[in-house]
Amino acid sequence: MIFISSVRLRFIASNLAKQCKNTIKFNKISSKNLFQLAIDGPAASGKSSTARIAAQRLKFEYIDSGAMYRVVTLAALRQNLSPLSLDDASKITYLAATSHIFLHTIFNPPPISHTSSSKPSLPQTLVYLNGEDVTHEIRSQEITKNISGIASNPDVRQVLVEKQRALANGIYDYEGENSSFKLDTLRKSPKGIVMDGRDVGTVVLPNADLKIFVTASARVRAIRRYKELQQQQSTTKKPLIDFNKVLEDLEKRDKSDYERKISPLKKADDAVLLDTSDMSVMEQADNIIELVLKRAKEKNFDL
């Protein structure tokens, strides 16, 4: 095994981050000053669903930073690279730097076909890797099992942080000619952005206009994840899952997120704590929107 010093690793990551800017096709949609809302929290805390609803109602763009790590995980596995292998670390960083990762949220999707509800579904985020729609593939259990190795790679994190900051400033990464997505369907003038993840308020957007740390008890979060998986199984007809296994996996993910050395999950000092254990998704969104409007008024943002 070849030992590489931390200084050398940072040098490699820096060069790859620069390469990312030079090799990827960016399209600037908006150059105006955007209100930045950072939402962090553990798995299944409700942050993503809440962030999408808040973005819809506030006319903000929504950025799922966690999906970007899932995309890199998928790209690595497709190349038979191991997220936990030191030998593959630089190759995975190169993939992160040179892959086109494009996110787009549909804020008024039609009702889900296998339900009898006539109400519109929650906003849905479509995820593209080099022009290919991988929205569903990145949510597989195989990706979930391997994502921790990607998330703990400091070079990958540096590359993706650069991409996330670009998105937060209205700059979108897309594979123009080969993409199945039409860029002109994007919002042309969002009033702000909502980004959720695990280190958005502490690392990605340390100067965000408002930071919120969403949490809930492990059991409540496991129940939410279990229901999500049950709904997915109703369409895929996969074997039934065990609730205790879901809870165990979630607690392992929590431990990994909170204890990792690089950008651990933690509440930013200036973040508002929001415990969602006894809240519905809509109640969570209402609370967040109220906080946004109050902060926007203080900062003289015209929302």
Side-chain angles (χ1 to χ4, degrees):
M1 182 181 296
I2 300 174
F3 176 77
I4 303 177
S5 70
S6 59
V7 173
R8 177 62 178 165
L9 282 174
R10 285 195 295 271
F11 175 75
I12 293 172
S14 177
N15 283 342
L16 284 170
K18 290 177 182 177
Q19 183 179 10
C20 164
K21 292 179 179 178
N22 294 332
T23 61
I24 287 182
K25 216 178 291 182
F26 284 111
N27 186 70
K28 194 164 187 178
I29 302 297
S30 174
S31 59
K32 72 175 184 177
N33 188 28
L34 302 176
F35 186 100
Q36 294 183 344
L37 168 59
I39 302 178
D40 290 308
S45 57
K47 61 183 183 295
S48 294
S49 297
T50 304
R52 290 188 187 97
I53 295 171
Q56 178 180 24
R57 289 167 58 182
L58 290 165
K59 294 183 171 59
F60 284 10
E61 282 293 346
Y62 167 68
I63 304 166
D64 182 353
S65 68
M68 300 177 76
Y69 287 94
R70 288 179 173 273
V71 170
V72 176
T73 304
L74 174 62
L77 294 179
R78 283 181 171 182
Q79 296 290 327
N80 294 317
L81 300 174
S82 170
L84 295 175
S85 170
L86 291 177
D87 293 335
D88 289 343
S90 61
K91 295 177 183 178
I92 293 174
T93 303
Y94 182 81
L95 269 179
T98 57
S99 295
H100 297 267
I101 303 174
F102 182 60
L103 311 176
H104 174 60
T105 298
I106 301 174
F107 287 104
N108 293 291
I112 299 174
S113 59
H114 66 268
T115 68
S116 59
S117 173
S118 60
K119 295 180 180 179
S121 304
L122 291 175
Q124 301 171 2
T125 297
L126 303 180
V127 183
Y128 294 81
L129 169 61
N130 298 327
E132 175 191 356
D133 186 345
V134 295
T135 303
H136 300 294
E137 194 171 355
I138 64 169
R139 301 296 172 183
S140 70
Q141 290 185 321
E142 183 68 14
I143 299 300
T144 300
K145 285 192 300 184
N146 286 279
I147 194 172
S148 292
I150 299 296
S152 61
N153 183 324
D155 299 347
V156 169
R157 295 199 75 87
Q158 181 169 339
V159 168
L160 291 187
V161 163
E162 289 296 328
K163 293 190 177 189
Q164 290 158 5
R165 287 174 178 163
L167 289 171
N169 285 289
I171 303 172
Y172 296 85
D173 170 18
Y174 73 107
E175 183 74 356
E177 296 179 358
N178 300 321
S179 179
S180 59
F181 179 79
K182 300 301 182 183
L183 193 68
D184 58 8
T185 63
L186 274 171
R187 295 183 182 208
K188 299 301 181 183
S189 56
K191 296 181 178 181
I193 65 96
V194 182
M195 185 184 296
D196 76 310
R198 286 167 173 76
D199 65 345
V200 180
T202 54
V203 177
V204 183
L205 301 176
N207 298 315
D209 298 292
L210 176 62
K211 304 174 188 178
I212 298 175
F213 191 88
V214 179
T215 188
S217 69
R219 186 167 186 82
V220 167
R221 290 186 288 118
I223 291 172
R224 291 172 179 170
R225 179 57 52 82
Y226 181 69
K227 289 180 178 179
E228 287 176 3
L229 292 172
Q230 281 186 315
Q231 187 177 47
Q232 292 174 11
Q233 287 174 334
S234 67
T235 58
T236 60
K237 297 183 180 179
K238 290 183 177 180
L240 293 177
I241 54 174
D242 178 65
F243 172 77
N244 290 328
K245 183 65 167 61
V246 173
L247 177 59
E248 179 185 349
D249 288 346
L250 186 142
E251 289 175 337
K252 285 181 179 178
R253 181 67 192 276
D254 283 352
K255 182 177 175 61
S256 173
D257 287 338
Y258 279 109
E259 296 181 0
R260 70 184 179 217
K261 295 181 179 179
I262 307 298
S263 300
L265 170 63
K266 65 178 182 179
K267 175 181 171 294
D269 292 338
D270 55 345
V272 177
L273 180 65
L274 184 64
D275 189 328
T276 67
S277 297
D278 298 316
M279 292 184 189
S280 67
V281 172
M282 290 304 178
E283 288 172 334
Q284 294 173 42
D286 287 342
N287 275 271
I288 287 176
I289 290 170
E290 183 178 348
L291 290 168
V292 169
L293 295 177
K294 180 180 178 181
R295 183 61 54 85
K297 186 176 182 180
E298 293 171 356
K299 288 177 164 278
N300 296 317
F301 271 92
D302 182 17
L303 300 184

PDB file of all heavy atoms in Angstrom, residues 21 34 42 52 63 109 135 138 154 161 183 216 219 246 256 259-260 270 276 288 293 296:
ATOM      1  N   LYS A  21     -14.129  22.373 -12.768  1.00  0.00           N
ATOM      2  CA  LYS A  21     -14.644  23.634 -13.291  1.00  0.00           C
ATOM      3  C   LYS A  21     -14.330  23.785 -14.778  1.00  0.00           C
ATOM      4  O   LYS A  21     -15.093  24.349 -15.539  1.00  0.00           O
ATOM      5  CB  LYS A  21     -14.036  24.812 -12.514  1.00  0.00           C
ATOM      6  CG  LYS A  21     -14.484  24.903 -11.068  1.00  0.00           C
ATOM      7  CD  LYS A  21     -13.818  26.084 -10.395  1.00  0.00           C
ATOM      8  CE  LYS A  21     -14.260  26.220  -8.943  1.00  0.00           C
ATOM      9  NZ  LYS A  21     -13.595  27.344  -8.259  1.00  0.00           N
ATOM     10  N   LEU A  34     -29.344  35.336  -4.627  1.00  0.00           N
ATOM     11  CA  LEU A  34     -30.370  34.378  -4.229  1.00  0.00           C
ATOM     12  C   LEU A  34     -30.368  34.187  -2.719  1.00  0.00           C
ATOM     13  O   LEU A  34     -29.313  34.111  -2.096  1.00  0.00           O
ATOM     14  CB  LEU A  34     -30.127  33.021  -4.902  1.00  0.00           C
ATOM     15  CG  LEU A  34     -30.095  33.000  -6.424  1.00  0.00           C
ATOM     16  CD1 LEU A  34     -29.740  31.596  -6.915  1.00  0.00           C
ATOM     17  CD2 LEU A  34     -31.428  33.442  -7.001  1.00  0.00           C
ATOM     18  N   PRO A  42     -30.130  14.272  10.108  1.00  0.00           N
ATOM     19  CA  PRO A  42     -29.853  12.857   9.866  1.00  0.00           C
ATOM     20  C   PRO A  42     -30.829  12.235   8.889  1.00  0.00           C
ATOM     21  O   PRO A  42     -31.817  12.858   8.481  1.00  0.00           O
ATOM     22  CB  PRO A  42     -30.002  12.244  11.271  1.00  0.00           C
ATOM     23  CG  PRO A  42     -30.983  13.145  11.958  1.00  0.00           C
ATOM     24  CD  PRO A  42     -30.682  14.522  11.456  1.00  0.00           C
ATOM     25  N   ARG A  52     -38.373  20.270  -0.313  1.00  0.00           N
ATOM     26  CA  ARG A  52     -39.031  20.365  -1.625  1.00  0.00           C
ATOM     27  C   ARG A  52     -40.319  21.177  -1.537  1.00  0.00           C
ATOM     28  O   ARG A  52     -40.593  22.025  -2.392  1.00  0.00           O
ATOM     29  CB  ARG A  52     -39.351  18.961  -2.152  1.00  0.00           C
ATOM     30  CG  ARG A  52     -38.141  18.158  -2.560  1.00  0.00           C
ATOM     31  CD  ARG A  52     -38.576  16.867  -3.243  1.00  0.00           C
ATOM     32  NE  ARG A  52     -37.457  15.998  -3.504  1.00  0.00           N
ATOM     33  CZ  ARG A  52     -37.092  14.982  -2.726  1.00  0.00           C
ATOM     34  NH1 ARG A  52     -37.783  14.720  -1.626  1.00  0.00           N
ATOM     35  NH2 ARG A  52     -36.066  14.224  -3.035  1.00  0.00           N
ATOM     36  N   ILE A  63     -32.103  21.864  -4.104  1.00  0.00           N
ATOM     37  CA  ILE A  63     -30.873  21.133  -4.410  1.00  0.00           C
ATOM     38  C   ILE A  63     -30.672  20.039  -3.376  1.00  0.00           C
ATOM     39  O   ILE A  63     -30.475  20.315  -2.189  1.00  0.00           O
ATOM     40  CB  ILE A  63     -29.644  22.081  -4.408  1.00  0.00           C
ATOM     41  CG1 ILE A  63     -29.855  23.243  -5.392  1.00  0.00           C
ATOM     42  CG2 ILE A  63     -28.378  21.306  -4.757  1.00  0.00           C
ATOM     43  CD1 ILE A  63     -28.865  24.373  -5.214  1.00  0.00           C
ATOM     44  N   PRO A 109     -45.917  17.459  -9.824  1.00  0.00           N
ATOM     45  CA  PRO A 109     -46.024  16.209 -10.582  1.00  0.00           C
ATOM     46  C   PRO A 109     -47.439  15.654 -10.500  1.00  0.00           C
ATOM     47  O   PRO A 109     -48.193  15.992  -9.585  1.00  0.00           O
ATOM     48  CB  PRO A 109     -45.042  15.284  -9.859  1.00  0.00           C
ATOM     49  CG  PRO A 109     -45.046  15.795  -8.446  1.00  0.00           C
ATOM     50  CD  PRO A 109     -45.204  17.286  -8.567  1.00  0.00           C
ATOM     51  N   THR A 135     -32.636   8.610 -11.435  1.00  0.00           N
ATOM     52  CA  THR A 135     -33.417   9.003 -10.259  1.00  0.00           C
ATOM     53  C   THR A 135     -33.729   7.821  -9.348  1.00  0.00           C
ATOM     54  O   THR A 135     -33.532   7.896  -8.120  1.00  0.00           O
ATOM     55  CB  THR A 135     -34.735   9.673 -10.697  1.00  0.00           C
ATOM     56  OG1 THR A 135     -34.441  10.785 -11.537  1.00  0.00           O
ATOM     57  CG2 THR A 135     -35.529  10.140  -9.480  1.00  0.00           C
ATOM     58  N   ILE A 138     -30.379   5.422  -8.031  1.00  0.00           N
ATOM     59  CA  ILE A 138     -29.523   5.869  -6.925  1.00  0.00           C
ATOM     60  C   ILE A 138     -30.173   5.658  -5.559  1.00  0.00           C
ATOM     61  O   ILE A 138     -29.514   5.848  -4.529  1.00  0.00           O
ATOM     62  CB  ILE A 138     -29.126   7.358  -7.068  1.00  0.00           C
ATOM     63  CG1 ILE A 138     -30.357   8.269  -6.981  1.00  0.00           C
ATOM     64  CG2 ILE A 138     -28.345   7.593  -8.344  1.00  0.00           C
ATOM     65  CD1 ILE A 138     -30.028   9.743  -6.838  1.00  0.00           C
ATOM     66  N   PRO A 154     -12.388  12.551   1.382  1.00  0.00           N
ATOM     67  CA  PRO A 154     -12.236  14.018   1.445  1.00  0.00           C
ATOM     68  C   PRO A 154     -12.089  14.677   0.089  1.00  0.00           C
ATOM     69  O   PRO A 154     -12.552  15.803  -0.115  1.00  0.00           O
ATOM     70  CB  PRO A 154     -10.969  14.207   2.300  1.00  0.00           C
ATOM     71  CG  PRO A 154     -10.221  12.925   2.164  1.00  0.00           C
ATOM     72  CD  PRO A 154     -11.265  11.855   2.038  1.00  0.00           C
ATOM     73  N   VAL A 161     -18.491  19.727  -3.177  1.00  0.00           N
ATOM     74  CA  VAL A 161     -18.783  21.010  -2.533  1.00  0.00           C
ATOM     75  C   VAL A 161     -18.689  22.138  -3.559  1.00  0.00           C
ATOM     76  O   VAL A 161     -19.517  23.057  -3.570  1.00  0.00           O
ATOM     77  CB  VAL A 161     -17.837  21.267  -1.341  1.00  0.00           C
ATOM     78  CG1 VAL A 161     -17.858  22.744  -0.938  1.00  0.00           C
ATOM     79  CG2 VAL A 161     -18.250  20.404  -0.149  1.00  0.00           C
ATOM     80  N   LEU A 183     -33.311  21.767 -20.974  1.00  0.00           N
ATOM     81  CA  LEU A 183     -32.892  22.795 -20.027  1.00  0.00           C
ATOM     82  C   LEU A 183     -33.890  23.936 -19.929  1.00  0.00           C
ATOM     83  O   LEU A 183     -34.011  24.578 -18.895  1.00  0.00           O
ATOM     84  CB  LEU A 183     -31.523  23.343 -20.442  1.00  0.00           C
ATOM     85  CG  LEU A 183     -30.803  24.208 -19.404  1.00  0.00           C
ATOM     86  CD1 LEU A 183     -30.381  23.363 -18.220  1.00  0.00           C
ATOM     87  CD2 LEU A 183     -29.600  24.893 -20.022  1.00  0.00           C
ATOM     88  N   ALA A 216     -35.210  14.210  14.555  1.00  0.00           N
ATOM     89  CA  ALA A 216     -36.333  13.441  15.103  1.00  0.00           C
ATOM     90  C   ALA A 216     -35.718  12.209  15.760  1.00  0.00           C
ATOM     91  O   ALA A 216     -34.570  11.851  15.492  1.00  0.00           O
ATOM     92  CB  ALA A 216     -37.318  13.030  14.010  1.00  0.00           C
ATOM     93  N   ARG A 219     -36.369   6.142  16.301  1.00  0.00           N
ATOM     94  CA  ARG A 219     -37.516   5.263  16.045  1.00  0.00           C
ATOM     95  C   ARG A 219     -38.509   5.929  15.087  1.00  0.00           C
ATOM     96  O   ARG A 219     -39.025   5.278  14.171  1.00  0.00           O
ATOM     97  CB  ARG A 219     -38.206   4.881  17.353  1.00  0.00           C
ATOM     98  CG  ARG A 219     -39.306   3.849  17.155  1.00  0.00           C
ATOM     99  CD  ARG A 219     -39.783   3.237  18.468  1.00  0.00           C
ATOM    100  NE  ARG A 219     -40.729   2.151  18.207  1.00  0.00           N
ATOM    101  CZ  ARG A 219     -40.378   0.913  17.902  1.00  0.00           C
ATOM    102  NH1 ARG A 219     -39.095   0.596  17.810  1.00  0.00           N
ATOM    103  NH2 ARG A 219     -41.290  -0.007  17.674  1.00  0.00           N
ATOM    104  N   VAL A 246     -34.407  -2.106   9.348  1.00  0.00           N
ATOM    105  CA  VAL A 246     -34.424  -0.705   8.920  1.00  0.00           C
ATOM    106  C   VAL A 246     -33.888   0.185  10.032  1.00  0.00           C
ATOM    107  O   VAL A 246     -33.069   1.077   9.803  1.00  0.00           O
ATOM    108  CB  VAL A 246     -35.857  -0.272   8.528  1.00  0.00           C
ATOM    109  CG1 VAL A 246     -35.901   1.236   8.251  1.00  0.00           C
ATOM    110  CG2 VAL A 246     -36.331  -1.040   7.314  1.00  0.00           C
ATOM    111  N   SER A 256     -22.113   6.602  11.528  1.00  0.00           N
ATOM    112  CA  SER A 256     -21.139   6.944  10.497  1.00  0.00           C
ATOM    113  C   SER A 256     -21.142   8.437  10.197  1.00  0.00           C
ATOM    114  O   SER A 256     -20.096   9.074  10.074  1.00  0.00           O
ATOM    115  CB  SER A 256     -21.434   6.155   9.216  1.00  0.00           C
ATOM    116  OG  SER A 256     -20.610   6.568   8.152  1.00  0.00           O
ATOM    117  N   GLU A 259     -19.807  10.543  13.325  1.00  0.00           N
ATOM    118  CA  GLU A 259     -18.453  10.276  13.787  1.00  0.00           C
ATOM    119  C   GLU A 259     -17.379  10.352  12.712  1.00  0.00           C
ATOM    120  O   GLU A 259     -16.197  10.232  13.013  1.00  0.00           O
ATOM    121  CB  GLU A 259     -18.397   8.886  14.444  1.00  0.00           C
ATOM    122  CG  GLU A 259     -19.252   8.795  15.707  1.00  0.00           C
ATOM    123  CD  GLU A 259     -19.170   7.427  16.356  1.00  0.00           C
ATOM    124  OE1 GLU A 259     -18.444   6.545  15.829  1.00  0.00           O
ATOM    125  OE2 GLU A 259     -19.827   7.235  17.400  1.00  0.00           O
ATOM    126  N   ARG A 260     -17.774  10.542  11.444  1.00  0.00           N
ATOM    127  CA  ARG A 260     -16.754  10.592  10.402  1.00  0.00           C
ATOM    128  C   ARG A 260     -15.844  11.810  10.611  1.00  0.00           C
ATOM    129  O   ARG A 260     -16.269  12.857  11.119  1.00  0.00           O
ATOM    130  CB  ARG A 260     -17.389  10.610   9.020  1.00  0.00           C
ATOM    131  CG  ARG A 260     -18.111  11.896   8.663  1.00  0.00           C
ATOM    132  CD  ARG A 260     -18.786  11.765   7.305  1.00  0.00           C
ATOM    133  NE  ARG A 260     -19.494  12.990   6.961  1.00  0.00           N
ATOM    134  CZ  ARG A 260     -20.647  13.029   6.317  1.00  0.00           C
ATOM    135  NH1 ARG A 260     -21.225  11.904   5.951  1.00  0.00           N
ATOM    136  NH2 ARG A 260     -21.224  14.174   6.026  1.00  0.00           N
ATOM    137  N   ASP A 270     -25.107  28.639  14.370  1.00  0.00           N
ATOM    138  CA  ASP A 270     -26.161  29.631  14.139  1.00  0.00           C
ATOM    139  C   ASP A 270     -27.405  29.028  13.477  1.00  0.00           C
ATOM    140  O   ASP A 270     -28.242  29.756  12.931  1.00  0.00           O
ATOM    141  CB  ASP A 270     -25.627  30.789  13.290  1.00  0.00           C
ATOM    142  CG  ASP A 270     -25.012  30.329  11.976  1.00  0.00           C
ATOM    143  OD1 ASP A 270     -24.740  29.110  11.840  1.00  0.00           O
ATOM    144  OD2 ASP A 270     -24.790  31.178  11.090  1.00  0.00           O
ATOM    145  N   THR A 276     -38.792  17.353  14.475  1.00  0.00           N
ATOM    146  CA  THR A 276     -39.975  17.022  13.690  1.00  0.00           C
ATOM    147  C   THR A 276     -40.654  15.727  14.143  1.00  0.00           C
ATOM    148  O   THR A 276     -41.514  15.205  13.437  1.00  0.00           O
ATOM    149  CB  THR A 276     -39.596  16.874  12.203  1.00  0.00           C
ATOM    150  OG1 THR A 276     -38.741  15.718  12.056  1.00  0.00           O
ATOM    151  CG2 THR A 276     -38.864  18.113  11.710  1.00  0.00           C
ATOM    152  N   ILE A 288     -40.758  26.054   8.594  1.00  0.00           N
ATOM    153  CA  ILE A 288     -39.581  26.527   7.868  1.00  0.00           C
ATOM    154  C   ILE A 288     -39.894  27.773   7.051  1.00  0.00           C
ATOM    155  O   ILE A 288     -39.115  28.739   7.034  1.00  0.00           O
ATOM    156  CB  ILE A 288     -39.033  25.403   6.968  1.00  0.00           C
ATOM    157  CG1 ILE A 288     -38.361  24.343   7.850  1.00  0.00           C
ATOM    158  CG2 ILE A 288     -38.046  25.950   5.944  1.00  0.00           C
ATOM    159  CD1 ILE A 288     -37.865  23.122   7.099  1.00  0.00           C
ATOM    160  N   LEU A 293     -39.434  33.620   5.865  1.00  0.00           N
ATOM    161  CA  LEU A 293     -40.043  34.935   5.645  1.00  0.00           C
ATOM    162  C   LEU A 293     -39.584  35.952   6.693  1.00  0.00           C
ATOM    163  O   LEU A 293     -39.354  37.130   6.383  1.00  0.00           O
ATOM    164  CB  LEU A 293     -41.573  34.811   5.648  1.00  0.00           C
ATOM    165  CG  LEU A 293     -42.168  33.976   4.504  1.00  0.00           C
ATOM    166  CD1 LEU A 293     -43.678  33.871   4.644  1.00  0.00           C
ATOM    167  CD2 LEU A 293     -41.792  34.577   3.152  1.00  0.00           C
ATOM    168  N   ALA A 296     -35.931  36.777   5.779  1.00  0.00           N
ATOM    169  CA  ALA A 296     -35.895  37.575   4.548  1.00  0.00           C
ATOM    170  C   ALA A 296     -36.245  39.038   4.835  1.00  0.00           C
ATOM    171  O   ALA A 296     -35.643  39.962   4.281  1.00  0.00           O
ATOM    172  CB  ALA A 296     -36.851  36.990   3.513  1.00  0.00           C
TER     173      ALA A 296
END
